[in-house]
Structure formats: structure tokens, C-alpha cells
Amino acid sequence: MLIWSILISFAVGIIMVPIIRKFAFRINAVDTPRERHKHTKTTATLGGLAIFISFSVGMLLVPIDKSGFVPIYFGALIIIATGFIDDIFDLSPKWKMVGQILAALCVTVWGEITINFINIPFYGELDFGYFAIPLSIVWIVAIVNALNLIDGLDGLAGGISIIALMTIAGMALLLKDAFVAPVALILAASVAAFLIYNFPPASIFMGDTGALFLGYMIAVLSLMGFKNVTFISLLVPLIILGVPLSDTFFAIVRRLKERMPISSADRSHIHHRLMALGFTEKQTVLLIYCMALLFSITGFVFSFSTTWGALLLLLLLIFCIEIIVEFIGLIGEDYRPILNLLQKIHRKRK
């Protein structure tokens, strides 16, 4: 029955996207080309609404215990409403944040899904106590905004979401989690149906309706699948979401370095920098897919490593990220400490 739920979600998504596209044009939920945009024609948004509808149908049909899903779904409704209003009226960042926090409260307070403690290597158990709810809210809001920020090219956020969801589902299956795995698979099928229309050149965008919803669901599923575990395991979802999270982190560093507001927009995200190096839009999207896939594979290996092996792998991953950041100029074209050091060593050897 799970297979049928996945297939029906995919089929409903295929049917719903063109309907939502017409609806978006009717209510003027469209994105017109502007200076910072790559698309050259007015394109419908609200694609996330089609993802949400097809996902809801799949969840209705899947034969699993859904009693714990009610708070999550209610939070999703808040997120969808926030994104829907923003796609039509362009909400201020403050009100978007309010919607995200309200959704996170549904999960953490009503659903009681929180990170209560972690076991730190060489230290022992660290109980978060009263900080469990605030930390879990920060977790959800951070991932929601990370995915939203990377939604800058056709098919980019959708493809990264599918890779993250499939990885979370795979991990959940190994951990014999009877809830997270089917939910992640149904959502991945819904996104895959949308991606058919969204891959470059896109005929519809997911909009904030989709980006906020996907970020929210990925955050909640990762929280459910990896809560109350070791510090090493807690890093797994961060590694799986390495592309959007690292892009967000370095965007903050970049803006602080240039003394700009953290919420300000720029054209120095990872996809902008890759295109500045000469890659086409499709090549850039596929290249970032490969990065996301490598992060996901690393997350799998990381979760089954010993403590020392995981720490060594983490250091290697950080080093590789730093090299990529310097090479593509993610913080700034003048920021190249390691590459400059390697060049000096190479010159001395000559």
C-alpha cells in the first residue's frame, strides 16, 4: 500500500501542477522578470501548493499510524498559509518569521518533538532541559530559511529536497522508523512530480509556498529521525543538508564581512558564483545536485563510523568545503587563505 501511496502522490502532483499554474495566473501570483532574475518571462508561482496537495493525498492513503502527524500537519498549514500570502502580497521578513515560529511551536510544544539531549564524545550526556524547545525551534527555522535562500535557479531547491528526503528515508529504514521513512518517500514523490515542470526552463516556480513547506518538512523529519541521539548522529542531517546550510552560513559571513544587513539580498550565493565561472544554468543545477548527493553519501558513511572515524571525516569535509568556498569566491574573491598557502608551497617546491 505504501508503493501505491507514493505512486498516487506522484500522479496527483502531475495533474495538480498545471491546475495550480492556471490558478496562480488568475490571482496574479506570478513572478515577473527583474534585474536579479534569470528567467525572461512572467512565470506562475504557488507550485508548492501542488506539492502540498499531492503530499496530503498520499498521507491520507498511506497505512501508518498518523496520530502523531496532526501537530506536524497543522504546522504545515501555517507554513503553507505564510508562503501563499507572501507569494501574492510579498510579506516582510518579520511576518514570515512569525509564521515559521508558529509552525515550529506546533511541532515542539503540541507535538512534543524536540531534541532533548545528546551524548557528546569524551564528555557524556548533555541534557538541554528547558532549552530543548527553543533549540528545536531554531533548528526548524534555520533549515526552513536555508532551503528558501537556495531557491534561486529552476529545479535547484526541488532537486536538493528530493536528495535530502531520499537520504532521510534511507536512514529511517535502516533505523526501522515506521513513520519518517514513508512520509519522506511520499513527499519526495510529490516533489518529483513538480520537478518535471520546474526543471530548467521552468514553467512554474514553487515560490515561498513550496520552499518554506519543504524546508519545514525536512527539518521536522530530520528532527524526528535523529533526535535524542549522539552528537555524531545529530550532525548527520546537517551533513545531508550541507549545500543549503553551508550556502546560508557563508552568506551570513559574507554580509557581516561587508557590513551589510544579514537579510539583504546579493548575487554571491553558490549558484551565482558557479554561473559567474561560466557554467550554464542547467550545468550549475546538476553540479549542485552532485554536491548534495556527495553530502548525503557522506552523511550515510558518517552515521556508521566510529567516533574517531567520524571526527576525521568531519575534518576532511570541512577542509573540502573551505577549498570549494575559496575556489568559487563564496565569501569574496579576495578570500583565499588555504589556496594561497598551497600556491606558496608549490612555488617553493619548484
Side-chain angles (χ1 to χ4, degrees), residues 31 40 71 121 131 155 169 205 212 245 257 277 281 301 312 320 324 335:
D31 197 343
T40 57
F131 293 100
F205 299 147
L212 297 182
L245 288 176
K257 178 175 175 258
L277 291 173
E281 184 176 357
V301 176
L312 287 172
C320 291
I324 293 171
Y335 176 79

Side-chain angles (χ1 to χ4, degrees), residues 118-126 229-235 302 305-311 314:
I118 55 173
N119 290 306
I120 301 177
F122 316 116
Y123 174 80
E125 184 179 297
L126 176 62
V229 288
T230 64
F231 178 73
I232 298 299
S233 298
L234 191 63
L235 291 175
F302 193 84
S305 300
T306 62
T307 299
W308 284 110
L311 290 174
L314 183 61

Side-chain angles (χ1 to χ4, degrees), residues 81-96:
T82 303
F84 184 86
I85 295 169
D86 183 60
D87 284 335
I88 299 174
F89 301 109
D90 198 14
L91 279 175
S92 67
K94 178 182 71 175
W95 286 110
K96 285 169 70 174

